[in-house]
Amino acid sequence: MKKLYPVIAFIFLVTGCSFQKPDYLKVITAPELNRIMQQEDIFLVDVHTPEQRHIKGTDLFIPYNEIERYKDKLPKDKNSAIYLYCEGGPMGNAAARSLYDLGYRNLSNLEGGAKAWKKAGLDFE
């Protein structure tokens, strides 16, 4: 059993690294996103499945695992800022990866997703 501990520790170390925030994605808080939305017109996408109540001002609903299917609805300029959210955050990260693979480079995900937005007392549609 003692020989198994280093193996288990190694697995946790390796899998733990995969949960780190990727360098191509900016993670923002609900108050920060709200402030940005008050100052500029942004492209906000809900990627949660199943579909949920949307944050007020959401431009588009695209399931996190169907990004490529909706690429004609995305900004043509690959440097356009795209703000993502789901219910809690992970689906936004997955959608960001798909967008990055399509060439998008200005990606942000709402930390804590719609739950954090609600907790901050902010508006839904």
Side-chain angles (χ1 to χ4, degrees):
M1 185 70 173
K2 288 186 179 184
K3 291 181 181 181
L4 216 52
Y5 289 127
V7 173
I8 293 171
F10 177 75
I11 290 170
F12 278 114
L13 179 65
V14 171
T15 58
C17 292
S18 67
F19 294 115
Q20 292 178 356
K21 179 185 78 67
D23 60 357
Y24 58 82
L25 178 64
K26 181 179 179 189
V27 177
I28 59 174
T29 64
E32 187 178 5
L33 177 59
N34 185 52
R35 181 180 47 75
I36 293 167
M37 290 173 70
Q38 301 304 316
Q39 295 174 350
E40 57 189 273
D41 184 26
I42 67 166
F43 192 74
L44 182 62
V45 183
D46 183 349
V47 297
H48 185 74
T49 59
E51 193 167 354
Q52 62 182 350
R53 284 183 61 207
H54 302 292
I55 291 173
K56 190 173 184 179
T58 297
D59 294 290
L60 192 59
F61 165 71
I62 300 176
Y64 78 97
N65 57 347
E66 297 181 24
I67 297 296
E68 190 156 333
R69 190 171 143 206
Y70 289 86
K71 62 185 174 186
D72 61 319
K73 306 259 188 223
L74 297 168
K76 302 298 179 224
D77 179 0
K78 303 282 180 152
N79 291 313
S80 296
I82 299 177
Y83 294 84
L84 306 165
Y85 72 95
C86 62
E87 183 182 34
M91 290 180 191
N93 290 338
R97 178 62 203 199
S98 296
L99 288 164
Y100 183 79
D101 290 345
L102 289 173
Y104 290 93
R105 296 296 181 257
N106 192 353
L107 305 168
S108 297
N109 188 27
L110 175 59
E111 181 178 36
K115 286 181 180 179
W117 189 262
K118 181 178 180 180
K119 188 175 180 179
L122 299 166
D123 293 331
F124 287 87
E125 293 182 344

